[in-house]
């Protein structure tokens, strides 16, 4: 175990996190326990200074040193903010929540200037280029044998034909998060046309349409992978009267074991995740089907720790330390 690392966390305001549920907070507690020095900053404070003969690229942010503790209402103590060259850090955790929009994508471009291992570099977790190249609902389409029938399109006629074939469908935006904007449309539902009109009047983005999987009533499994290897899973069961299982909308977390099919899915995608530097990943599995590969700001660490008695944040930091040593 290494100590003395400087770790900057790019995140939404730490003041507002749920200290008993937030995975970033769990990562920070574990980092502090290992003797790392912690800093936080908001993505909006990033600044890239570039250009001029002989000028060194500098990516800076308004960084605050911080001490964290599991004490409700008093979980963080901050030092004075200072504009800091991020290449002075050893590790940068990119943990701000989606939506995966142009602001998010721009941040990955900026972080590429410092990403790496060695002098003048900071290991960004997850690799910013790979995050940018791995939209969570589209990455899964490279594994058609693992996923349920799925359509991605702007074409309303194709959506209607897909619904006619599969009857019961899920309609969701490609770049949303937390279950926002996800609809279940049954065979007798008369709202599909109005839903499509509303979406395309407000957005130029296509929609993802999937066959509704009744197995979701038994839960939507979130499997955590550390550098391509599964370390455990939690089951998220939808609330009564709700089609979505996300905990943001009332899904209830339960303990669950990995099945042979889960292991098959993880073995299929694990080498790709490791090769791309996607160290902290959470995948969603409903029944036998992989539905999403979450690489931006996956959650589930604290629930997994409570259910299985393991230290998932520690396993992730072990992987990060291995990358630094390599």
């Amino acid at each position: 175990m290494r100590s003395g690392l400087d770790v900057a966390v790019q995140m939404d305001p730490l003041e507002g996190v749920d200290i008993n549920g937030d995975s970033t907070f769990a990562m920070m507690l574990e980092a502090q326990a290992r003797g790392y020095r912690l800093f936080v900053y908001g993505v909006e404070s990033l600044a890239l200074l570039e250009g001029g003969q002989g000028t060194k690229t500098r990516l800076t942010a308004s960084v605050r040193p911080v001490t964290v503790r599991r004490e409700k209402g008093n979980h963080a103590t901050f030092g004075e903010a200072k504009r800091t060259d991020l290449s002075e850090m050893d590790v940068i955790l990119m943990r701000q929540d989606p939506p995966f929009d142009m602001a998010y994508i721009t941040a990955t471009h900026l972080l590429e200037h410092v990403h790496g291992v060695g002098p003048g570099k900071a290991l960004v977790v997850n690799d910013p280029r790979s995050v940018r190249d791995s939209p969570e609902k589209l990455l899964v389409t490279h594994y058609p044998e693992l996923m349920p029938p799925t359509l991605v399109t702007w074409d309303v006629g194709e959506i209607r034909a897909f619904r006619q074939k599969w009857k019961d469908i899920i309609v969701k935006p490609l770049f949303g998060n937390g279950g926002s904007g996800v609809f279940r449309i049954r065979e007798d539902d008369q709202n599909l046309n109005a839903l499509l009109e509303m979406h395309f009047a407000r957005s130029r983005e296509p929609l993802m349409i999937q066959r509704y999987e009744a197995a979701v009533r038994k839960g939507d499994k979130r499997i955590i992978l550390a550098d391509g290897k599964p370390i455990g899973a939690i089951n998220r069961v939808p609330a009564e009267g709700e089609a979505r299982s996300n905990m943001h909308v009332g899904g209830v977390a339960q303990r669950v074991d990995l099945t042979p099919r889960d292991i098959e899915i993880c073995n299929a995608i694990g080498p790709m995740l490791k090769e791309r530097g996607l160290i902290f990943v959470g995948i969603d599995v409903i029944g036998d089907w992989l539905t999403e590969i979450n690489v931006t700001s996956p959650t589930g660490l604290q629930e997994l720790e409570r259910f299985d008695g393991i230290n998932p944040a520690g396993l992730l930091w072990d992987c990060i330390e291995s990358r630094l040593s390599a």
Side-chain angles (χ1 to χ4, degrees), residues 276-313:
R276 294 190 183 192
L278 296 169
I279 296 174
F280 183 3
V281 172
I283 66 172
D284 295 340
V285 176
I286 299 175
D288 289 333
W289 304 109
L290 175 65
T291 59
E292 290 189 23
I293 302 175
N294 299 279
V295 303
T296 51
S297 184
T299 60
L301 295 190
Q302 297 210 45
E303 293 83 2
L304 184 56
E305 182 174 0
R306 285 193 289 270
F307 293 146
D308 288 6
I310 64 173
N311 181 4

Side-chain angles (χ1 to χ4, degrees), residues 57-78:
T57 296
R58 293 181 66 241
L59 179 64
T60 65
S62 182
V63 168
R64 293 184 294 172
V66 65
T67 302
V68 292
R69 64 192 70 85
R70 196 181 288 281
E71 185 179 326
K72 190 172 182 179
N74 185 35
H75 62 275
T77 301
F78 299 96

Side-chain angles (χ1 to χ4, degrees), residues 6 19 38 75 92 109-110 123 133 135 148 180 195-196 230 233 236 247 264 266-267 283-284 326:
D6 288 330
I19 65 171
L38 283 174
H75 62 275
I92 298 171
H109 281 291
L110 298 185
L123 179 65
D133 290 348
S180 178
L195 174 62
L196 298 180
R236 300 168 299 172
M247 288 184 282
E264 178 187 352
C266 292
N267 288 343
I283 66 172
D284 295 340

Side-chain angles (χ1 to χ4, degrees), residues 180-226:
S180 178
V182 176
F183 291 86
R184 178 185 179 186
I185 302 292
R186 295 179 173 87
E187 183 178 9
D188 60 349
D189 196 313
Q190 299 179 23
N191 292 304
L192 178 62
N193 289 338
L195 174 62
L196 298 180
E197 289 169 7
M198 182 176 66
H199 171 78
F200 290 120
R202 299 169 56 189
S203 175
R204 298 176 59 198
E205 296 172 1
L207 284 166
M208 171 173 273
I209 320 296
Q210 288 185 321
R211 181 183 66 190
Y212 174 74
E213 300 300 320
V216 75
R217 299 311 311 171
K218 296 180 180 179
D220 180 349
K221 193 176 296 182
R222 163 59 56 88
I223 303 173
I224 303 296
L225 295 97

Side-chain angles (χ1 to χ4, degrees), residues 244-286:
R244 301 167 297 175
S245 58
N246 309 73
M247 288 184 282
H248 292 291
V249 293
V252 177
Q254 298 177 343
R255 187 188 179 280
V256 71
D257 293 319
L258 295 175
T259 66
R261 174 61 169 175
D262 297 333
I263 299 298
E264 178 187 352
I265 290 171
C266 292
N267 288 343
I269 68 173
M272 174 273 294
L273 299 177
K274 185 177 180 67
E275 180 182 354
R276 294 190 183 192
L278 296 169
I279 296 174
F280 183 3
V281 172
I283 66 172
D284 295 340
V285 176
I286 299 175

Side-chain angles (χ1 to χ4, degrees), residues 7-29:
V7 177
V9 186
Q10 177 177 298
M11 65 183 298
D12 301 319
L14 177 58
E15 293 86 341
V17 304
D18 174 6
I19 65 171
N20 294 315
D22 188 84
S23 291
T24 305
F25 190 72
M27 291 288 287
M28 295 175 74
L29 284 173

